[in-house]
Amino acid sequence: MPIAWLNVISNSNVDTAGGKGASLGELQEAGLPVPTAFVVTADTYRTFIDQAGIAEELFDAVEVDSENSAALAEAEQQARELILDAEIPDSVESTILDAYAGFQDEPFVAVRSSATAEDLPDASFAGQQETFLNVDREELIDRIKRCWASLFTQRAIYYRDQQGFDHETVDIAVVVQRMVDAEKSGVMFTSHPSTGEPEITIEAAWGLGEAVVSGEVSPDNYTYDREANSLETVTVATKKTMHIREPETGETLTKSVPDNKQTEQVLDNSELDDLHRLGELVEEHYGQPQDVEWAITDDQVFLLQSRPITTINESHGNNNSNKSMDGISSETGGDRDYLVDGLGASPGTTTGAVRIVSTLDQLDKVNQGDIIVTEMTTPDMVPAMKRASALVTDEGGMTSHAAIVSRELGVPAVIGTETATHRLTDDQMVSIDGDRGVVADGKRSPDSGNSQSGKTSSTSPQSSGGKPMTATDIKVNVSIPEAADRAAATDADGVGLLRMEHMILSTDKTPEKYVADHGADAFVNTLTDAMRTVAEAFYPRPVRVRTLDAPTDEFRQLEGGNDEPHEHNPMLGYRGIRRSLATPETFKLQLQAFQKLYEMGYGSVELMFPLVNDSEDVYKAKNLMQDVGIDPNKRNWGVMVETPASALCIEEICKTGIDFVSLGTNDLTQYTLAVDRNNGTVADRYDELHPAVMQLMRETIETCRSNDIASSICGQAASKPKMIQQLVEAGITSISVNVDAVCDAQREAKRVEQRLILESTLD
């Protein structure tokens, strides 16, 4: 499908809409204020490079030594020329322009890259791809192609290599979003970006938000104590520049802020209250701290994007706050004069030699352990930042590119000093304290007596202890096979949900069309290879794979989808086990892929049927398993309980021979409460913790326990602490969460289990 509007996109569509697009769809689904947008899907990019015949040459061009700056530059140039010189198919261009016409008044739009390995829980990829503002119809196709080309900038190639992503497996979508002509804008962290403490940080400046994100301006800074429900600090900065839209041409201009507004506070109390409220809603929805871009126009707040904060150091709070490191005393009476100070944007302390970087061609002078001092960073500086032991900037705030990447790289950073490039000099030895935001003379003997130049003292996020041992298995959800290695690295107890539909949707053809074009064996092999990738990464831990559960509106976008029925509400229609049972020959091909894995020795793979209603559904599916040679007495198999009917019929379902039941909270909630989870109008009525939903889940778990059947949960709500608490108390066997929530779920389950043990001892 060349394009998709936000109202059909959620976080489950990262492989189609990219990280940014999926997040925007998720925000809109939650009823939050998001400007209208559509997404040019990642499949469109892949189709473009395939049909243009440039895919092989493109990927060959970027297979270079990422530490070689000259090779990176050549790779970027070659990739850029290949993409920009190739013609986009006429049918794709017309589809995009027709979608743009859907805005009706031909507005200026923002064209934002949205890579499928972007805004992920464990890697932010901040600033790696392009964004173009104030784009009109004539420029739209060109800007989309330039977004595609930005997948292969020097910084993007380097960063993917460092993060272990294969260039060939990363695709890119493009978000086309109605522009918000912002009067004021900025970024909000819903929790502290380094410590994770319940403190909202808001940064704000005049005009469009790119000046804040890039670090071009030092913004106002506000902190809000969420526990005390009070505004704690307000720091009004001198805001010298702003980005605005030129009314006639739509061009983005940088201009000086009027003198009377440079030191004026950007946000009033009412706007701060609105942002605080929205920040709480966003974090509650995602179940984890978020980095949110926002804009205000005509007294209305819009959320432009939200991504997980990837830089929280969970053990940071264990450091002794008065500890003296590298000669910088944390007591106010320390004996060292500060050279410059700013915001402590990334924790840790270090001592090293200053390297003033005024232009990009000066990056080569940065050696291992040096301290970069610059006016502001750009994404092109990431390779040099990797070599540096710390970063100091004149401009920027806690949410700027410099701050985000420093935290992700684990190097101390002091941001927004205003004068560092003028007061510090090349080769000067300085000590950096990234916790408190100070730069001091580094020549004197360190107070702690054990500091070494170029060495950073900071606690790694991995050093907070080993995996908590819990009686409740904590598993992980995997959306796409390419994410298997990263998911396996979490030490989860296995995969609680691997969706088969993503394997099929990635072919851009319906199962029937794929079989017609390539044959049944090719279809089976495609599924087998995808499942094997995950099984191999987790072996011998179990991997639970759900058979096909894609609604008709998703299939209709694929090649061969013209025959799909048109349904008023596809969520209630031809999907799940009902579709599989209605097309038994295609369903058998899915099952043959499982049998092929079993024959290869992957007995750790478990088979799961979605959206069953009763034991009759289960028996029919079981018979088809046996038809393809799967022995249900030797293989682990089970069903999802996603409807009130299956929850109420669980006793009979347990007698069909299943080994496990998995609770799907997304569907169970919408069917129990009669709330369409894709309908933003009623999003506020959607509550997985509603007493009726919880009662159905508790009764299902209890029945499973009495029948010696394992029970689990794999919906989005599984990562919520309250949900974990209630399910562990009910005796659930396993909990499966998204990759970013594994550690939190392990700790929460352990905490609840320990409390239950203590209470039983006291009783």
Side-chain angles (χ1 to χ4, degrees):
M1 48 182 177
I3 69 102
W5 289 90
L6 288 189
N7 61 357
V8 297
I9 294 172
S10 69
N11 263 351
S12 63
N13 303 118
V14 172
D15 54 336
T16 299
K20 190 179 282 94
S23 178
L24 285 170
E26 188 78 14
L27 289 174
Q28 185 176 88
E29 181 180 335
L32 294 165
V34 177
T36 307
F38 65 86
V39 176
V40 181
T41 65
D43 296 335
T44 305
Y45 155 75
R46 182 62 64 165
T47 299
F48 164 71
I49 62 172
D50 286 343
Q51 290 189 3
I54 63 173
E56 184 176 355
E57 187 176 358
L58 180 64
F59 296 126
D60 285 345
V62 297
E63 286 298 329
V64 297
D65 178 4
S66 61
E67 299 294 345
N68 185 322
S69 298
L72 276 177
E74 184 178 348
E76 176 184 11
Q77 180 66 22
Q78 188 174 352
R80 181 182 180 86
E81 290 175 356
L82 284 169
I83 290 175
L84 296 184
D85 291 346
E87 293 294 328
I88 192 169
D90 291 340
S91 59
V92 173
E93 180 173 343
S94 62
T95 300
I96 293 171
L97 294 178
D98 286 346
Y100 174 79
F103 287 124
Q104 296 184 343
D105 54 349
E106 294 201 356
F108 289 111
V109 293
V111 180
R112 304 177 184 273
S113 302
S114 180
T116 56
E118 175 183 76
D119 295 351
L120 300 177
D122 52 355
S124 73
F125 286 75
Q128 296 304 305
Q129 279 82 46
E130 294 286 2
T131 289
F132 299 96
L133 302 181
N134 300 311
V135 177
D136 61 15
R137 185 182 188 277
E138 291 184 5
E139 300 171 320
L140 181 57
I141 299 300
D142 174 73
R143 296 301 186 267
I144 289 171
K145 290 176 69 177
R146 290 180 186 277
C147 283
W148 290 341
S150 73
L151 192 61
F152 301 102
T153 60
Q154 295 180 52
R155 58 185 181 268
I157 297 169
Y158 176 87
Y159 200 74
R160 282 198 296 274
D161 278 352
Q162 295 299 308
Q163 292 287 335
F165 285 85
D166 186 343
H167 298 298
E168 292 193 41
T169 62
V170 178
D171 291 336
I172 186 168
V174 179
V175 177
V176 179
Q177 185 174 45
R178 180 184 287 272
M179 272 293 300
V180 175
D181 193 9
E183 300 155 8
K184 48 186 78 172
S185 55
V187 185
M188 168 171 56
F189 286 134
T190 62
S191 291
H192 193 284
S194 294
T195 66
E197 293 176 357
E199 173 186 280
I200 289 180
T201 300
I202 299 172
E203 296 195 325
W206 304 112
L208 303 176
E210 274 56 36
V212 177
V213 175
S214 67
E216 187 173 334
V217 65
S218 294
D220 288 358
N221 183 281
Y222 311 83
T223 58
Y224 198 100
D225 188 327
R226 296 170 58 189
E227 292 183 340
N229 199 32
S230 63
L231 184 64
E232 291 295 295
T233 65
V234 176
T235 304
V236 179
T238 301
K239 300 164 288 291
K240 301 174 184 177
T241 60
M242 63 190 296
H243 286 185
I244 64 166
R245 184 179 77 190
E246 206 286 321
E248 297 298 324
T249 66
E251 183 182 359
T252 302
L253 303 177
T254 300
K255 62 172 289 188
S256 296
V257 175
D259 291 342
N260 65 324
K261 299 190 74 172
Q262 287 190 7
T263 56
E264 180 182 331
Q265 181 172 323
V266 174
L267 298 175
D268 59 33
N269 289 338
S270 175
E271 292 164 335
L272 286 168
D273 288 343
D274 287 343
L275 285 167
H276 163 236
R277 177 180 57 83
L278 290 171
E280 295 281 4
L281 290 173
V282 172
E283 179 165 323
E284 180 181 359
H285 178 75
Y286 283 106
Q288 68 177 118
Q290 294 289 300
D291 169 0
V292 182
E293 292 184 24
W294 56 268
I296 296 177
T297 184
D298 295 329
D299 297 323
Q300 184 175 359
V301 180
F302 289 95
L303 304 185
L304 306 182
Q305 74 175 61
S306 181
R307 54 182 168 240
I309 299 175
T310 63
T311 55
I312 292 175
N313 184 340
E314 293 162 357
S315 59
H316 178 72
N318 295 330
N319 293 340
N320 185 343
S321 61
N322 290 328
K323 188 174 182 180
S324 174
M325 290 183 177
D326 295 321
I328 303 177
S329 172
S330 61
E331 301 291 350
T332 57
D335 64 352
R336 181 163 307 185
D337 293 331
Y338 300 152
L339 300 175
V340 292
D341 62 353
L343 293 172
S346 181
T349 59
T350 190
T351 296
V354 167
R355 293 288 179 263
I356 304 292
V357 176
S358 302
T359 59
L360 291 179
D361 59 9
Q362 295 176 335
L363 290 173
D364 288 342
K365 72 180 184 181
V366 179
N367 298 314
Q368 195 72 33
D370 287 344
I371 293 173
I372 294 177
V373 178
T374 186
E375 182 178 355
M376 62 181 177
T377 64
T378 69
D380 295 293
M381 291 185 178
V382 170
M385 291 171 68
K386 184 86 173 181
R387 300 192 296 271
S389 64
L391 175 72
V392 181
T393 71
D394 288 346
E395 304 291 344
M398 291 285 286
T399 55
S400 65
H401 172 269
I404 292 172
V405 175
S406 294
R407 286 191 291 268
E408 187 158 318
L409 294 177
V411 298
V414 179
I415 305 298
T417 65
E418 296 188 356
T419 60
T421 55
H422 301 292
R423 299 189 61 181
L424 305 179
T425 58
D426 269 339
D427 298 318
Q428 181 178 0
M429 293 297 294
V430 297
S431 291
I432 307 296
D433 186 335
D435 294 86
R436 294 182 295 126
V438 297
V439 180
D441 185 356
K443 291 182 179 178
R444 301 182 189 177
S445 299
D447 295 344
S448 58
N450 60 2
S451 170
Q452 299 178 33
S453 175
K455 298 294 184 180
T456 300
S457 173
S458 60
T459 309
S460 166
Q462 286 76 34
S463 65
S464 57
K467 170 188 171 184
M469 299 302 295
T470 58
T472 309
D473 283 343
I474 304 299
K475 299 181 179 181
V476 63
N477 302 328
V478 177
S479 294
I480 55 174
E482 291 80 6
D485 287 336
R486 288 183 291 114
T490 63
D491 282 337
D493 294 310
V495 175
L497 175 63
L498 174 61
R499 301 173 176 89
M500 183 174 283
E501 58 266 20
H502 289 299
M503 308 173 199
I504 294 174
L505 293 173
S506 67
T507 69
D508 204 31
K509 297 181 179 182
T510 64
E512 292 77 11
K513 177 63 174 175
Y514 193 92
V515 171
D517 289 350
H518 307 285
D521 288 345
F523 181 74
V524 172
N525 289 337
T526 296
L527 299 181
T528 301
D529 290 344
M531 290 190 288
R532 182 183 179 183
T533 297
V534 183
E536 186 70 35
F538 278 85
Y539 192 82
R541 290 171 285 176
V543 173
R544 190 168 292 174
V545 185
R546 186 180 71 186
T547 58
L548 183 62
D549 183 20
T552 53
D553 56 338
E554 291 187 12
F555 268 5
R556 197 178 306 115
Q557 306 299 323
L558 304 180
E559 189 177 343
N562 294 333
D563 296 332
E564 289 292 313
H566 288 265
E567 299 178 312
H568 179 66
N569 188 341
M571 299 301 291
L572 294 172
Y574 190 53
R575 54 172 289 217
I577 198 65
R578 61 189 66 161
R579 182 188 188 105
S580 294
L581 294 177
T583 55
E585 294 309 312
T586 302
F587 186 36
K588 285 183 180 180
L589 297 180
Q590 297 178 48
L591 298 174
Q592 286 175 26
F594 284 92
Q595 177 61 6
K596 187 171 182 178
L597 280 174
Y598 296 144
E599 292 171 353
M600 296 166 65
Y602 290 99
S604 57
V605 173
E606 302 176 342
L607 194 161
M608 181 163 64
F609 299 124
L611 211 66
V612 302
N613 266 347
D614 48 40
S615 59
E616 182 178 353
D617 283 343
V618 183
Y619 279 123
K620 289 179 179 178
K622 182 179 180 181
N623 290 337
L624 291 172
M625 283 173 57
Q626 294 171 311
D627 286 349
V628 301
I630 299 175
D631 187 343
N633 296 317
K634 293 182 178 179
R635 304 301 178 190
N636 276 353
W637 66 286
V639 300
M640 293 199 69
V641 169
E642 302 170 275
T643 66
S646 57
L648 294 171
C649 295
I650 190 62
E651 186 73 48
E652 291 74 20
I653 290 175
C654 285
K655 295 175 181 177
T656 61
I658 59 173
D659 297 292
F660 62 84
V661 158
S662 184
L663 296 160
T665 55
N666 293 347
D667 279 334
L668 185 60
T669 301
Q670 74 167 345
Y671 296 144
T672 302
L673 303 182
V675 174
D676 180 358
R677 60 187 171 101
N678 288 329
N679 186 341
T681 306
V682 292
D684 60 324
R685 309 286 296 179
Y686 185 86
D687 179 15
E688 302 100 326
L689 292 165
H690 189 283
V693 180
M694 294 307 305
Q695 181 176 340
L696 288 173
M697 289 196 287
R698 281 193 297 268
E699 290 176 354
T700 297
I701 293 169
E702 183 179 348
T703 301
C704 287
R705 284 171 60 86
S706 64
N707 285 275
D708 198 25
I709 302 294
S711 59
S712 63
I713 180 174
C714 61
Q716 179 73 25
S719 60
K720 295 184 176 181
K722 288 183 180 179
M723 181 68 76
I724 294 173
Q725 176 183 338
Q726 295 196 43
L727 294 182
V728 171
E729 290 175 349
I732 199 164
T733 310
S734 66
I735 295 172
S736 189
V737 298
N738 292 339
V739 64
D740 56 287
V742 172
C743 292
D744 287 342
Q746 290 169 337
R747 287 193 298 271
E748 182 64 21
K750 182 177 181 179
R751 187 187 67 80
V752 176
E753 290 176 359
Q754 289 176 332
R755 178 175 57 77
L756 293 174
I757 293 171
L758 178 60
E759 289 175 352
S760 66
T761 302
L762 294 175
D763 291 342

